[in-house]
Amino acid sequence: MGNDQMSLDGAWKLRWADGQRGGLLHHHLWTTHPSKWIDAIVPGEVHLDLLRAGMIPEPALGMNILESRWVEESFWSYRRVFSVPNTALSARSWLRFEALDYGATIFLNEEPIGSHGNAFLPYEVDVTGKLVAGDNLLVVELESGLYSVAEQPVKDFYRGAEDGRLYKRMWLRKPQFSFSWDWAPRLINIGIGGSVSLGWADRARVINTSVQSQLSSDCQSGHLVVSVQCEGLDSKPVPAEISVTVAETGQTTVQPVVLNPGSHTVQMEIAVAKPKCWWPIGYGAQDRYTVEVRVLVDDKTVGADLKRIGFRHVRFNQEEDSLGGRRFILEINGRPIFAKGANWVPPDIILARVDRQRYQTLIDRALELNFNFLRIWGGGIYESDEFYELCDEKGLLVWQEFAFACAAYPATDADFLENITLEARYQVRRLAHHPSLIAWCGNNEIEWLNWDRNQGVVRPDFAWFHQTLPRILAAEDPGRYYQPSSPYSPDGQFPNAEDQGDQHPWDIGFGNVDFHGYRQLASRFPNEGGILGPPSLPTMEAALPVGQRAMHSFAWELHDNSVEDWYPESAIDRMTSEWIGKDAETMSVQEYVYYGGLLQGEGLREYIDNFRRRKFETSSAIFWMYNDCWPTTRSWTVVDYYLRRTPAFYPVRRAFAPLAVVVVRDEDRVKVYGVNDQMTPWTGSLRYGIFTIDGTDAFDQETVVEIPANSSKEIVSFAAERWEMLGATRALAYAMLIEQGTVVARNRLILPRFKDLTWVPAAVEVRREGPFAVFTSPTFAWGVCLDLNGEAVGDNFFDVWPNIPYLVPWPTNQALPKVLFVGNLANQ
């Protein structure tokens, strides 16, 4: 009696075919030529095996990705010989593949035993009676998906580019970004991306378990719903017990069950009195509980699982507001949460390369940026268990989208509908126990893209997002927030309406690069929007081989964001000329990394400042996007492919600080807002006013202010006339929050474009003062740069105000930093 498992991970063999050469028809046979196979590792991916074999260069570097295109156009077979214990020969047995990508046909001992076409859904096949004593041959034939859907139509499913007709991604259940996006190249993965195992049992087995944790609105009563999918393997009913233990409370609940032949689900409900709450970072502790589930037959364990859960009550408050629209406030345990963060995309073009250390570093960088929220965009993946475990532990909130983006999907096709239904049910069960997961969303931007379709035309995926997915969630993860699309307006209005639901404020960022326009936006829950800029300098150089390190070289274009080509005249190139009067094409790569990064940081700061000062009329500042999948010349991100901090990283970190101050011009008044994300009120001094760029004149005031906990408040205002007297082209409005003599937050407001300011040279000096490097200048110094390599420094791309010291943490055992660039246009 037992439920045993043998891993088939590790060393496999891999072979190529292209339909003409390579002998695909014979790959599954015992008889073969060993020299035609190369070494492979499972879990893995074909590109990685070819890299190890020296058959392709690293795709991320230079123009190498073009040399890898043949890989996705070929057929590939994985091969492994294994032997099994005698107990497996007489028992019920099955093979399980956690991830197959894509178009798989599986052979055991030369016999075809199954096929599979979904990279988001594990595949399990019964092999009872098919195993033999001694050696067994397992062969998995794969193709990237292109051939699986070669005969499928694309008309009415994909609007626009020719590439849709080439790869027909809307039919393929695999990461959509890998077919290329504005920020991603085309590299279609192929391989056995997850673990492979052989399992066997004689009377019963556990297929999967799911644990949902719920918390009452008063946070006093916890409730667990444990679902166990079991299979009776005997011809007769099998008596069994399901045991659920909550380690931290000492509770053990045992329920007798009878496992009839076949698969069925047993559900148990368990009350937990007065549980400790799980909170997002900055709002409380991340208390969690360990839930152990066991299934026993004849007092022997046939299946066990361990889940770490957290109790929290989640609500999206969408009540009518005083502005004539609807709120969109995320509330955790009854407390409103302002969501600070960005959009997360897969961190590598080769998904199998993403390991726990990469996840750990990216999560750490997000915390360094003062994030509390990540949106998992619908063109990527259902993120991994490791990702969610880290978010649970660190207190990062996660908005997970189902894997559909920017296309119509053929959900009226019966086979496709069955496939995505199994996928959704599996993914919801897998992720339901994570406290960090606070929202499911059906897709990215499909509702918005479909808005202008002819009225009365039935969209092929409408029922899937509006009816079927909600029913799956009601059964598998009840109580978790769901909306059909992002952006989405709950009252059936324009999906990207500013006064309800969530928004993607893309009126700025593509053709329009006037990021001062963010100042007027009153979005309720901005969930995507951003400004393009460069990565760190070493990452830029990795994208550009020697001889091509110039703007618009072939390698530059290959690694550039495709927004560059959306307009006859590049809006990205225009940004430097429109804002600082400089032609980007005349800059060196180093100069462009500085100036392009300086402007991107300014744009993202405007985005964040505007929405934070409106807290909770606006309830988020979530930008596009956080991370990259490969080295770029220009992207939306603040952490690049090599996990280096981009030039915009530090301005974003300062803008998201728990305590902030924002200065705005409102008609004839200059207003100062204090923003406090802390759970206690803040009291201190506010110093505010106006200073001139040349440092010769100022209007300077100081007063004591209090900023209530978890709020934004207008703390002072003064007549704009004082500013106008000095001239907006030669003076800035400013504000500083001071606590016990230390500046804890500061900000400034510039009205004209930077090229229109009356610049004077900066004269920045730096000295040491204990654990700080102290920067001073008699004039305003804009965008002081200490590093372009993406290293960790105390601060970067900061301003030095006239005759006001600026302190940057700096190790005492390191030489004082050198100033690489200052943005003052008079310095050039």
Side-chain angles (χ1 to χ4, degrees), residues 50 65 72 148 334 355 361 458 488 542 552 588 660 800 824 826:
L50 297 176
I65 197 166
E72 69 196 44
S148 296
D355 58 13
T361 302
V458 177
Y488 181 72
H552 301 315
S588 68
V800 179
N824 292 35

Side-chain angles (χ1 to χ4, degrees), residues 219-297:
C219 302
Q220 295 300 301
S221 302
H223 186 73
L224 294 177
V225 179
V226 180
S227 300
V228 185
Q229 187 181 4
C230 304
E231 185 177 10
L233 304 178
D234 210 329
S235 59
K236 299 177 181 179
V238 176
E241 287 184 344
I242 298 180
S243 168
V244 178
T245 298
V246 182
E248 288 75 8
T249 66
Q251 293 173 259
T252 296
T253 305
V254 179
Q255 180 173 315
V257 297
V258 175
L259 302 180
N260 293 312
S263 174
H264 51 100
T265 299
V266 178
Q267 199 168 83
M268 296 174 62
E269 299 191 19
I270 298 160
V272 178
K274 296 184 177 180
K276 294 180 179 179
C277 291
W278 183 95
W279 289 94
I281 187 168
Y283 291 81
Q286 290 76 53
D287 286 300
R288 290 184 292 163
Y289 292 78
T290 305
V291 179
E292 183 182 40
V293 182
R294 288 187 175 274
V295 179
L296 301 97
V297 174

Side-chain angles (χ1 to χ4, degrees), residues 72 174-181 184-189 349 379:
E72 69 196 44
K174 60 188 296 174
Q176 303 286 275
F177 84 102
S178 62
F179 297 92
S180 80
W181 225 267
R186 173 177 164 178
L187 190 137
I188 306 176
N189 286 209
I349 50 176

Side-chain angles (χ1 to χ4, degrees), residues 510-529:
F510 291 154
N512 174 16
V513 293
D514 182 7
F515 46 75
H516 279 177
Y518 285 134
R519 298 172 179 176
Q520 310 307 318
L521 298 186
S523 306
R524 298 302 189 265
F525 198 87
N527 220 354
E528 180 184 317

Side-chain angles (χ1 to χ4, degrees), residues 292-350:
E292 183 182 40
V293 182
R294 288 187 175 274
V295 179
L296 301 97
V297 174
D298 298 333
D299 295 325
K300 295 181 179 178
T301 299
V302 300
D305 199 2
L306 207 66
K307 306 284 190 188
R308 292 274 282 160
I309 63 98
F311 290 99
R312 78 284 179 277
H313 184 271
V314 180
R315 176 185 181 230
F316 278 88
N317 179 349
Q318 298 189 67
E319 297 171 353
E320 293 183 2
D321 63 22
S322 60
L323 303 176
R326 289 186 177 275
R327 300 181 177 93
F328 198 96
I329 302 174
L330 169 61
E331 298 174 354
I332 305 289
N333 305 328
R335 184 175 294 166
I337 309 294
F338 188 93
K340 302 188 296 184
N343 284 254
W344 173 289
V345 300
D348 205 301
I349 50 176
I350 303 175

Side-chain angles (χ1 to χ4, degrees), residues 82 84-95 108-113 125-133 135-137 198-202 233:
F82 65 98
V84 299
N86 288 334
T87 52
L89 298 175
S90 58
R92 172 77 175 276
S93 55
W94 56 91
L95 282 166
L108 180 62
N109 297 324
E110 300 188 344
E111 178 188 349
I113 57 172
V125 57
D126 193 307
V127 294
T128 304
K130 300 181 186 299
L131 298 167
V132 298
D135 288 344
N136 290 266
L137 174 63
L198 174 72
W200 63 93
D202 55 7
L233 304 178

